[in-house]
Amino acid sequence: MLKRHNKLVTLLILAFFMFSIVGSAGAAQFSDVDPAADATPAIYKLAALDILEGYPDGTFAPDNTITRAEFAKIAVVTAGLERVASGMEGVPTQFNDVAADNWASGWINVAAAQEFVQGDGDGTFRPQDEITQAEVVTVLLRILGYNDNLTGNWPSNYISKAASLGVLDDISFIANKAATRGEVALVGSEVLEQNVVEYRSSDNLFAEARKTFEDEEDPRSYSLLEDNFESAVETDQLVTDVSLDDGIAFEFNASGDLIELTETAVIANVPSWNQVKERFVDYITNDDGDIVYVSVQDYGVVTATADDIEVNRDDRDEFTINDRNYRLALNEDGDEVDVTYLGATASDLEEYFERAERPEEGVTLEDEEVNVDNVDFVLNDDGRIALIKGWTWDSGNAGVVDNVNLSRERVQYKNSDIRTTNLADEDYAVLVNGLPAELEDIQENDVVYVTDLYDVTLLVVQSAQVPGELESIRTVTDNDDVNVTEVRVDGTWYDVAINGFMLSADAGSDFYDATTDVDRIDDEYELLGEDVVLLTNPAEKVVGIISDVDATDRNFGIVDGEASVLDGNQIVEGISIFRSDDSVATYVIEDSDENLAKVYDGTTFDIKNDFIKYSINSDGELELEYNFEGTVDEWNFEAETDDNILTVKGSGNDAVDVDGADVPITDGSSYDISNTAIFNLHRDDGDLQTVDVADFLDAAESIDEALLVLDGNSIEYIVIDDGELVGTTGNIAMVVDTGRDADGDYAYLLLPQGEVKYYIDSDSDPVEEDTVITFTLKQGEIYVDDSDWDDFGSYEIKSISGNIIEVITAFDGDGDELSTQNFVVDSDTIYYDNENDPVLIEKGDIARGDIINLYREDGETAVAVVELVDADVLVKEIEIEQVTITDDELTISVDDNYEAEIEVGNIAVYASDDVGGDNLAGTSSNNDDKFFVQASGDNFTITVNGDEEADDGTYIVRVEDDVNSNEIEVEVDSNDYVTE
């Protein structure tokens, strides 16, 4: 029925947003009440009950004081006697300073008759005097049923009782201080929640009053709120649903019944009405059963991803969530689990948390393959889990906004999965970043999910965007598919949403369907190192990546050959391009590109090894702009290697510009080629490579043919064909991960631009995870040869001074420094933090006391890599604790302070005497060897070969490794074979 009221729904939502923290949808919010103030919920609670009122100008003045006359009215309303007061208005009072026509005469008459107030002994009431905190407490406790029979003298007797009841907990109490309106609200709110009492003179005590309420059989105690306001007061009720159908209504405890809120209802303690759902609340209803006041209780909500939720115990109700233990809530009898499950995955969650056969300890929700972005755990007042809700924001259901047509109430999207949401015939509501909003608040590139929450069409909109450099990615392999699970932008990791991300390669004009395919980032568009904008869902997971990858320096390359390329859902023939960053990219060829069509017919490929200029259209297809074939010329080069200067000698030959136009070169023209990209078409092994500038300059004078491509006065590209010149060498990287897929062995390398995946050349040395390597790039593959690569450590940093890092290379058994060594670093030194996940750091990030490994090339002075590690420095002095000789065996125990694992080949053990000479552990024994040495755990056993027994005399045993050693003398007595 609500279609024609859809604007009303929006207005209601906005009204509740404006006043939900502390206000009323039907009255002006108090402009001077701070939503975060302690008194705010109490102010609006008493305002909803008409105990307190604001001023005509929309203020409440919480810091203003209250007169005794004003408080007489507050007392009478609190006692539920306002109708009596209206009948006493104009009646002469018992106080000589309160005239019958005083505006407060009726209130003062009732307050005095009920003995809430007593006045002074001289017959005055002092109606305009400020009421003190002690007087406020006295009056309110008298309304509860307490009287002057409280033990002690006034006002201490009332103050003591108020303190014991807890009604003074939220104020700074000073008895004679004038009470403010905010303080009155705080104390009054607490008093309303107290049980009414009655004085029993026979026992001289105050006991809780009891009575039988309608529809109840037995008498019970009751609060002042229940007694005087004829209101149903409910506490700790769990809101399990919210409906916007014809107003706002709440469902409690999954009962299926909805209770409506009045238009003037107050919602306290949350920033918007929608955040009441799945929370515990206290609420008050009026005589019609409608809610007039809701106070959200902050018992806690824990949000976790599936991999952070695991079974902890076998007793069915305890789990580890975000590394903390939580138990499931139980029913009132404490013998059954009492948890509410919500969301599309509710049944899966219930099975995981409550099934009879529990998963083994340590099994996470992710292991059970429950498809959720995150799970909310709502805690009750005991800290137990009372409600579990799984949130699934599948990227396949998300729309990226193109435009909003307000007149037609329509939202259009850029991605092909979802094109349009028409709202003209719908009852709808809008949430932007979790807060109520209007349709006009939705902006281009916002992410929208269309849901049926709250019994209307609800647009859940996420406008948060994360700009920055896409530094690296993390992947998982599933059935040979390599899928992106996380991306890192400006140093922060972001999870990828369920079913992946939508990708725009044209600055947000168009989006491809959601995918987790790593090729979209790592191959097809080469986004690593590029500036991007991440679009996120309400769980803050990545659903979209916006990039503009049409950078000029990436639109040149060498045609490497044919390639099979994924175009939508089909595999088509395409082209692979070897680019200046040593990567190989594959593209679909634009159908109407006649220049490519002439040379590429799907069966022959005639432009292999040509240097081309190309562009990528909005569909991700390659369009050829120019082929530089035939523009190679003869040159004479001179090089200044120190300054990266290349001088071109001779005249009559032309270079070309980036558009293929001839550019005459004047004899003796010099160019700084520090930033020039240099391609080598052929080496002996037939691979394409880029060449380091320094390597090119070293060989420049022997190179007589080249293609020179200029941009203005700078040489942007040089293409040569030299079988002798080695390609780019001396690259250094940390190996983050290794693996094998259908295309071969690969490694993820941590480079300055982030984590980059490379395949490993078949002739390369092995590549191991968590190692630092030097490598050569060969046609996009890495070739590793670490034969000239030395590593040192692990060492503790003692000091850093300029370019010198002094390290402690060893400690003795007592932890005292034994030896140090200096290492030189320079501006080219790379620093890695490999204590946890490897990341690039700077020199300033390492400090004294850190443990490091160092890597240096043979013949070089400066260290190439400093790696921060989680390790210990070896103890140099090996303390030999015990030597035992039995028969023909001598056993040595090494002190546990020695950290290195004792094994043959790692630790050398020597034993010698004047007969057998030295023998090394692990060597094969023969008849000439006196001893044979074996290692086991922390012990070495030295055995006399054959049937010989150890001769009497002194034996020398030495234990050592590369930096650690110790030596002992062992006396052997053939009579008893004991150690002295």
Side-chain angles (χ1 to χ4, degrees):
M1 62 159 299
L2 206 63
K3 161 58 206 98
R4 299 277 42 108
H5 300 290
N6 55 356
K7 293 298 185 293
L8 174 61
V9 172
T10 302
L11 290 174
L12 279 171
I13 292 170
L14 288 174
F16 269 85
F17 168 54
M18 291 175 62
F19 305 109
S20 59
I21 298 177
V22 286
S24 167
Q29 182 185 17
F30 298 134
S31 60
D32 58 347
V33 172
D34 180 3
D38 291 340
T40 297
I43 289 172
Y44 281 96
K45 176 180 178 181
L46 269 63
L49 296 170
D50 292 326
I51 295 174
L52 291 175
E53 296 177 350
Y55 295 104
D57 63 356
T59 63
F60 181 80
D63 296 327
N64 283 7
T65 57
I66 295 178
T67 66
R68 287 164 58 85
E70 289 171 332
F71 193 73
K73 177 183 177 181
I74 292 171
V76 171
V77 175
T78 302
L81 300 173
E82 60 268 33
R83 292 183 180 178
V84 178
S86 64
M88 297 291 288
E89 186 177 351
V91 175
T93 72
Q94 66 186 63
F95 304 109
N96 56 35
D97 57 351
V98 179
D101 58 356
N102 187 297
W103 73 269
S105 62
W107 305 109
I108 294 173
N109 277 329
V110 174
Q114 295 294 320
E115 297 185 351
F116 301 152
V117 298
Q118 296 176 354
D120 297 331
D122 59 0
T124 62
F125 183 75
R126 295 181 286 111
Q128 297 307 118
D129 282 6
E130 295 173 334
I131 192 165
T132 67
Q133 290 187 352
E135 291 168 339
V136 167
V137 167
T138 299
V139 172
L140 291 178
L141 260 62
R142 285 172 176 167
I143 296 172
L144 271 179
Y146 294 99
N147 57 36
D148 292 349
N149 289 301
L150 285 168
T151 302
N153 298 320
W154 185 88
S156 60
N157 52 353
Y158 283 91
I159 295 170
S160 295
K161 174 52 67 175
S164 68
L165 294 174
V167 300
L168 304 181
D169 290 350
D170 295 326
I171 69 169
S172 298
F173 186 82
I174 302 175
N176 292 325
K177 175 183 175 292
T180 66
R181 290 166 57 84
E183 291 167 345
V184 168
L186 282 166
V187 176
S189 177
E190 289 296 330
V191 168
L192 284 172
E193 304 299 331
Q194 300 298 317
N195 284 343
V196 175
V197 299
E198 57 186 12
Y199 178 65
R200 296 178 182 174
S201 57
S202 59
D203 300 319
N204 190 28
L205 57 78
F206 294 92
E208 289 186 348
R210 301 172 65 84
K211 69 177 180 180
T212 302
F213 284 80
E214 185 177 356
D215 299 327
E216 294 183 13
E217 295 182 358
D218 300 319
R220 63 173 176 84
S221 58
Y222 52 92
S223 70
L224 187 64
L225 189 63
E226 290 178 284
D227 188 35
N228 294 343
F229 289 87
E230 298 181 7
S231 302
V233 180
E234 297 289 346
T235 60
D236 287 341
Q237 301 298 302
L238 184 59
V239 180
T240 49
D241 200 5
V242 175
S243 173
L244 301 181
D245 189 5
D246 198 17
I248 297 179
F250 293 161
E251 176 200 60
F252 297 99
N253 307 314
S255 64
D257 298 324
L258 292 170
I259 302 179
E260 294 184 1
L261 278 70
T262 65
E263 291 186 6
T264 57
V266 174
I267 303 176
N269 300 334
V270 291
S272 64
W273 58 268
N274 62 298
Q275 297 188 26
V276 177
K277 190 177 180 185
E278 290 112 37
R279 300 291 292 275
F280 280 96
V281 303
D282 298 343
Y283 69 89
I284 302 171
T285 57
N286 61 17
D287 294 344
D288 296 326
D290 296 331
I291 295 173
V292 295
Y293 176 81
V294 177
S295 176
V296 179
Q297 304 305 308
D298 186 18
Y299 298 142
V301 178
V302 180
T303 300
T305 56
D307 59 344
D308 287 326
I309 304 166
E310 66 181 55
V311 175
N312 186 46
R313 294 171 61 98
D314 294 328
D315 62 0
R316 297 187 65 246
D317 67 340
E318 184 167 291
F319 297 82
T320 299
I321 303 168
N322 295 339
D323 297 324
R324 290 190 60 184
N325 292 340
Y326 295 90
R327 301 177 73 87
L328 301 180
L330 302 177
N331 61 11
E332 291 183 359
D333 296 332
D335 56 359
E336 291 184 9
V337 170
D338 185 14
V339 176
T340 300
Y341 297 88
L342 298 178
T345 58
S347 59
D348 293 331
L349 292 171
E350 184 172 6
E351 179 181 1
Y352 176 81
F353 285 99
E354 295 192 35
R355 68 188 184 199
E357 260 186 48
R358 298 292 301 283
E360 294 181 3
E361 183 171 347
V363 173
T364 68
L365 189 63
E366 184 178 50
D367 296 332
E368 296 289 289
E369 298 183 354
V370 177
N371 204 28
V372 292
D373 277 311
N374 49 38
V375 180
D376 286 345
F377 297 89
V378 180
L379 307 181
N380 62 18
D381 59 345
D382 294 326
R384 285 178 172 260
I385 298 169
L387 181 143
I388 301 175
K389 179 169 183 177
W391 292 95
T392 303
W393 301 102
D394 191 323
S395 57
N397 297 326
V400 180
V401 174
D402 186 5
N403 63 79
V404 179
N405 188 320
L406 296 177
S407 62
R408 300 183 64 181
E409 297 178 295
R410 183 178 67 187
V411 182
Q412 291 184 302
Y413 307 101
K414 297 178 178 180
N415 52 311
S416 59
D417 290 345
I418 301 173
R419 281 301 183 190
T420 304
T421 299
N422 291 306
L423 301 167
D425 296 322
E426 301 289 338
D427 305 318
Y428 66 86
V430 178
L431 293 176
V432 176
N433 298 331
L435 297 176
E438 293 182 305
L439 202 59
E440 63 189 30
D441 296 318
I442 302 175
Q443 304 296 316
E444 182 182 5
N445 290 335
D446 283 354
V447 175
V448 175
Y449 290 84
V450 181
T451 77
D452 58 359
L453 291 173
Y454 309 128
D455 297 330
V456 296
T457 299
L458 180 69
L459 276 64
V460 180
V461 183
Q462 190 75 3
S463 66
Q465 299 181 358
V466 181
E469 180 184 338
L470 181 59
E471 298 169 337
S472 55
I473 60 177
R474 287 175 177 159
T475 62
V476 296
T477 301
D478 182 16
N479 295 326
D480 295 330
D481 293 328
V482 183
N483 298 318
V484 180
T485 58
E486 295 176 85
V487 298
R488 188 173 71 186
V489 170
D490 285 353
T492 301
W493 285 101
Y494 299 88
D495 290 333
V496 171
I498 294 172
N499 285 334
F501 54 87
M502 297 168 280
L503 177 64
S504 171
D506 55 5
S509 295
D510 295 288
F511 283 80
Y512 293 99
D513 295 348
T515 181
T516 56
D517 186 2
V518 69
D519 290 340
R520 286 281 176 90
I521 288 181
D522 198 29
D523 189 6
E524 187 172 352
Y525 295 107
E526 292 291 337
L527 296 183
L528 288 174
E530 296 288 342
D531 288 334
V532 299
V533 176
L534 303 182
L535 307 181
T536 61
N537 63 18
E540 298 183 353
K541 294 187 177 182
V542 177
V543 293
I545 301 177
I546 299 176
S547 176
D548 183 359
V549 294
D550 295 332
T552 301
D553 63 344
R554 291 218 167 183
N555 290 344
F556 292 82
I558 306 292
V559 177
D560 185 39
E562 301 174 75
S564 296
V565 184
L566 180 64
D567 182 19
N569 296 320
Q570 297 182 336
I571 301 295
V572 300
E573 293 296 328
I575 188 172
S576 62
I577 306 295
F578 179 67
R579 305 190 301 190
S580 61
D581 62 355
D582 293 291
S583 63
V584 177
T586 58
Y587 301 101
V588 177
I589 296 176
E590 207 280 321
D591 294 339
S592 61
D593 195 322
E594 297 180 358
N595 293 317
L596 281 177
K598 291 177 182 178
V599 293
Y600 181 78
D601 61 10
T603 57
T604 61
F605 204 85
D606 298 330
I607 61 172
K608 182 177 175 65
N609 287 350
D610 286 356
F611 184 70
I612 65 171
K613 177 184 179 181
Y614 61 94
S615 62
I616 305 299
N617 64 24
S618 60
D619 294 325
E621 300 170 334
L622 181 143
E623 297 180 0
L624 179 65
E625 296 189 11
Y626 190 77
N627 187 342
F628 293 88
E629 181 186 19
T631 54
V632 175
D633 223 325
E634 295 183 355
W635 305 98
N636 292 318
F637 297 128
E638 292 182 357
E640 298 178 32
T641 56
D642 291 340
D643 298 318
N644 292 339
I645 301 298
L646 180 70
T647 300
V648 182
K649 306 293 290 185
S651 60
N653 295 332
D654 292 336
V656 293
D657 67 13
V658 292
D659 295 318
D662 290 344
V663 178
I665 299 294
T666 304
D667 182 24
S669 297
S670 296
Y671 301 89
D672 182 348
I673 64 168
S674 298
N675 298 315
T676 299
I678 304 168
F679 292 94
N680 188 8
L681 291 178
H682 291 292
R683 290 183 59 213
D684 290 341
D685 56 12
D687 283 330
L688 296 172
Q689 285 194 331
T690 59
V691 177
D692 187 78
V693 170
D695 293 334
F696 172 80
L697 289 172
D698 286 340
E701 295 182 8
S702 65
I703 296 172
D704 53 17
E705 286 188 342
L707 165 64
L708 306 182
V709 181
L710 276 68
D711 185 5
N713 294 320
S714 300
I715 299 178
E716 291 295 309
Y717 300 95
I718 299 175
V719 182
I720 61 176
D721 186 349
D722 192 314
E724 300 299 323
L725 184 60
V726 176
T728 303
T729 60
N731 301 292
I732 298 172
M734 167 73 70
V735 181
V736 176
D737 193 12
T738 60
R740 181 176 180 84
D741 59 22
D743 295 321
D745 295 322
Y746 64 83
Y748 279 94
L749 305 185
L750 182 56
L751 298 169
Q753 65 266 36
E755 292 180 17
V756 182
K757 178 182 179 182
Y758 287 105
Y759 284 94
I760 302 169
D761 186 277
S762 58
D763 295 326
S764 169
D765 286 350
V767 178
E768 298 180 1
E769 186 176 342
D770 288 334
T771 60
V772 177
I773 61 171
T774 57
F775 63 94
T776 299
L777 279 168
K778 298 172 59 177
Q779 200 163 337
E781 296 184 341
I782 58 172
Y783 176 82
V784 178
D785 182 1
D786 284 337
S787 58
D788 297 328
W789 185 252
D790 294 327
D791 58 277
F792 304 88
S794 301
Y795 299 147
E796 180 178 319
I797 297 177
K798 181 177 181 180
S799 66
I800 302 174
S801 178
N803 288 338
I804 303 297
I805 299 178
E806 182 183 12
V807 298
I808 302 171
T809 57
F811 294 91
D812 64 17
D814 296 325
D816 296 326
E817 173 187 321
L818 280 179
S819 58
T820 64
Q821 184 175 348
N822 289 338
F823 288 89
V824 177
V825 295
D826 60 19
S827 58
D828 294 325
T829 301
I830 301 171
Y831 299 86
Y832 291 108
D833 182 350
N834 199 21
E835 289 185 300
N836 296 300
D837 293 329
V839 293
L840 278 165
I841 57 176
E842 298 179 356
K843 180 183 176 184
D845 295 321
I846 63 174
R848 178 175 180 173
D850 286 341
I851 308 300
I852 58 174
N853 292 333
L854 304 104
Y855 300 83
R856 186 173 65 195
E857 293 185 79
D858 283 350
E860 296 293 331
T861 301
V863 170
V865 173
V866 175
E867 178 191 14
L868 186 63
V869 295
D870 182 12
D872 295 313
V873 180
L874 291 179
V875 177
K876 183 166 186 178
E877 184 177 46
I878 303 178
E879 182 179 350
I880 299 176
E881 291 187 324
Q882 182 179 4
V883 177
T884 305
I885 300 174
T886 58
D887 297 331
D888 60 353
E889 293 185 350
L890 174 121
T891 302
I892 304 168
S893 296
V894 179
D895 180 47
D896 289 340
N897 286 332
Y898 186 76
E899 298 291 343
E901 181 181 357
I902 297 173
E903 58 180 292
V904 173
N906 179 25
I907 309 298
V909 181
Y910 297 88
S912 65
D913 68 356
D914 56 357
V915 179
D918 284 354
N919 193 88
L920 175 64
T923 58
S924 299
S925 62
N926 52 55
N927 293 333
D928 296 330
D929 292 332
K930 180 74 173 181
F931 305 102
F932 183 70
V933 186
Q934 292 177 308
S936 175
D938 289 340
N939 300 320
F940 301 94
T941 300
I942 303 174
T943 306
V944 180
N945 277 333
D947 296 328
E948 295 187 59
E949 293 183 348
D951 297 330
D952 291 353
T954 301
Y955 291 79
I956 299 173
V957 178
R958 186 169 75 255
V959 182
E960 67 179 33
D961 66 7
D962 290 341
V963 295
N964 309 296
S965 65
N966 200 2
E967 188 173 282
I968 61 170
E969 292 184 357
V970 179
E971 290 288 338
V972 176
D973 185 333
S974 58
N975 292 323
D976 54 15
Y977 296 102
V978 296
T979 301
E980 294 184 0

